[in-house]
Amino acid sequence: MAPGTLADEIRLKLGDVSPAERKVARVLLAGYPSAGFETMAVLAERAAVSTPTVLRFVNRLGYRGFPDFQAALRAELDERNASPLSLYEATDYGRSKGGPDEDLSLLQRGSSVFSGAVAQTLAELPPHDLEHAIRLLADSKRRITLAGGRFTNLCAQYLGLHLMQLRDDVRFLPDRDVERTAVFAALHRRDVLVVFDYRRYEQDKVAMAELVQAHGGKVILFTDTWLSPTSAHAEVVLPSQVAAPSPYDSLVPTLAVIETVVAGVLTALGEDAHQRMRHGEDTARRMGLY
């Protein structure tokens, strides 16, 4: 299973370190990951502590010195920015395939990778964030807009189509610039933007989240364990593992999170969702769609 990020390690240590070391941790988290590439002297100054305090903190994280800590951070960023091509070229995915035994091996590998990634994702999903996402999506007074990326637009569509069967005022972010501009020009505090953003992250998602936040709206972010930059502007962050038996990041764990969220929204809406589903099916039948 994939390890957590350095930010996760730092958060886990917050309750076990001295008050001075906690200041270092908070400076690192507030400016993550760029703060980790400052010199020890600059980091100490920003945290209002001594340089030895910075060193003691990175030692507590398990690093022999500050250069080791920065090397680990660089390795994490390389992984965060990895593309299918770079992952392909760094591994042996291009090997020629064998016979039936190779197929059996692939099935076993897929079963192990996917089941492990789903289990880890759901085990590590922050319960507070999951509950908050469900509350926001089940609030009938809020307008929901969904936006995805190159591949994750499929996930946005999948979640949105389910929500449309359960409640009103759900829409997808339009593709055309004029329509998209109109959506963001009409934002208000009852808006909820649901964003899917996975490595390699898309800068427009950050701009969208900033606009929603500036108008008092809420942002729900589905992302990977390295966390999209959009997380800095999100009310809720739902991270998923992306391990796969290929160089492409898997969205299987993300789908598990989506379906868990849908189950929660259905429960939260109760009889209102039931009546909405019944009305939708009756309408579809009258239109000859079922």
Side-chain angles (χ1 to χ4, degrees), residues 62-76:
Y63 300 98
R64 289 174 296 178
F66 202 63
D68 286 345
F69 170 78
Q70 291 185 321
L73 186 56
R74 278 192 292 272
E76 180 182 301

Side-chain angles (χ1 to χ4, degrees), residues 34-90:
S34 58
F37 292 111
E38 301 281 10
T39 65
M40 277 206 300
V42 169
L43 191 55
E45 183 180 354
R46 290 179 58 192
V49 299
S50 67
T51 301
T53 300
V54 175
L55 183 56
R56 281 196 300 273
F57 179 71
V58 298
N59 289 158
R60 284 186 186 274
L61 292 175
Y63 300 98
R64 289 174 296 178
F66 202 63
D68 286 345
F69 170 78
Q70 291 185 321
L73 186 56
R74 278 192 292 272
E76 180 182 301
L77 290 182
D78 286 344
E79 196 172 6
R80 190 184 194 216
N81 296 323
S83 69
L85 177 61
S86 67
L87 291 172
Y88 183 97
E89 292 176 344

Side-chain angles (χ1 to χ4, degrees), residues 80-149:
R80 190 184 194 216
N81 296 323
S83 69
L85 177 61
S86 67
L87 291 172
Y88 183 97
E89 292 176 344
T91 63
D92 57 358
Y93 287 118
R95 289 182 308 169
S96 59
K97 292 187 170 114
D101 289 342
E102 179 70 18
D103 291 336
L104 181 60
S105 175
L106 178 61
L107 288 172
Q108 291 173 332
R109 190 161 69 251
S111 175
S112 174
V113 169
F114 291 134
S115 61
V118 170
Q120 186 176 2
T121 294
L122 295 179
E124 296 178 350
L125 203 65
H128 175 268
D129 279 329
L130 176 64
E131 292 163 8
H132 195 15
I134 290 168
R135 282 197 301 271
L136 289 172
L137 296 175
D139 186 346
S140 61
K141 295 179 181 178
R142 293 188 180 274
R143 177 172 57 188
I144 310 297
T145 305
L146 299 103

Side-chain angles (χ1 to χ4, degrees), residues 76-290:
E76 180 182 301
L77 290 182
D78 286 344
E79 196 172 6
R80 190 184 194 216
N81 296 323
S83 69
L85 177 61
S86 67
L87 291 172
Y88 183 97
E89 292 176 344
T91 63
D92 57 358
Y93 287 118
R95 289 182 308 169
S96 59
K97 292 187 170 114
D101 289 342
E102 179 70 18
D103 291 336
L104 181 60
S105 175
L106 178 61
L107 288 172
Q108 291 173 332
R109 190 161 69 251
S111 175
S112 174
V113 169
F114 291 134
S115 61
V118 170
Q120 186 176 2
T121 294
L122 295 179
E124 296 178 350
L125 203 65
H128 175 268
D129 279 329
L130 176 64
E131 292 163 8
H132 195 15
I134 290 168
R135 282 197 301 271
L136 289 172
L137 296 175
D139 186 346
S140 61
K141 295 179 181 178
R142 293 188 180 274
R143 177 172 57 188
I144 310 297
T145 305
L146 299 103
R150 292 177 294 271
F151 286 87
T152 55
N153 191 52
L154 296 170
C155 295
Q157 295 275 335
Y158 188 68
L159 174 57
L161 291 174
H162 279 81
L163 292 177
M164 287 176 182
Q165 293 187 320
L166 305 179
R167 53 156 295 162
D168 293 324
D169 226 356
V170 177
R171 61 184 178 176
F172 299 113
L173 188 66
D175 291 327
R176 286 183 289 215
D177 291 345
V178 172
E179 293 173 287
R180 184 170 289 206
T181 299
V183 166
F184 285 100
L187 288 172
H188 54 70
R189 65 184 184 86
R190 303 303 295 176
D191 275 293
V192 175
L193 175 67
V194 181
V195 179
F196 289 81
D197 194 28
Y198 291 66
R199 67 176 183 184
R200 295 167 284 172
Y201 310 107
E202 299 176 353
Q203 189 59 37
D204 67 326
K205 303 303 183 296
V206 176
M208 292 176 193
E210 286 178 332
L211 277 170
V212 172
Q213 190 179 49
H215 285 81
K218 307 296 184 183
V219 178
I220 298 173
L221 173 66
F222 288 77
T223 187
D224 50 42
T225 56
W226 298 280
L227 303 184
S228 157
T230 302
S231 62
H233 309 285
E235 179 86 3
V236 176
V237 179
L238 301 174
S240 298
Q241 297 290 323
V242 295
S246 79
Y248 290 95
D249 286 347
S250 172
L251 293 175
V252 170
T254 297
L255 285 173
V257 175
I258 289 172
E259 296 198 1
T260 301
V261 168
V262 169
V265 172
L266 182 60
T267 300
L269 289 172
E271 185 57 25
D272 287 344
H274 179 207
Q275 293 303 321
R276 168 80 180 185
M277 293 165 71
R278 182 184 297 278
H279 179 64
E281 292 218 4
D282 288 345
T283 302
R285 272 195 295 269
R286 292 181 65 183
M287 295 177 64
L289 299 178
Y290 284 172

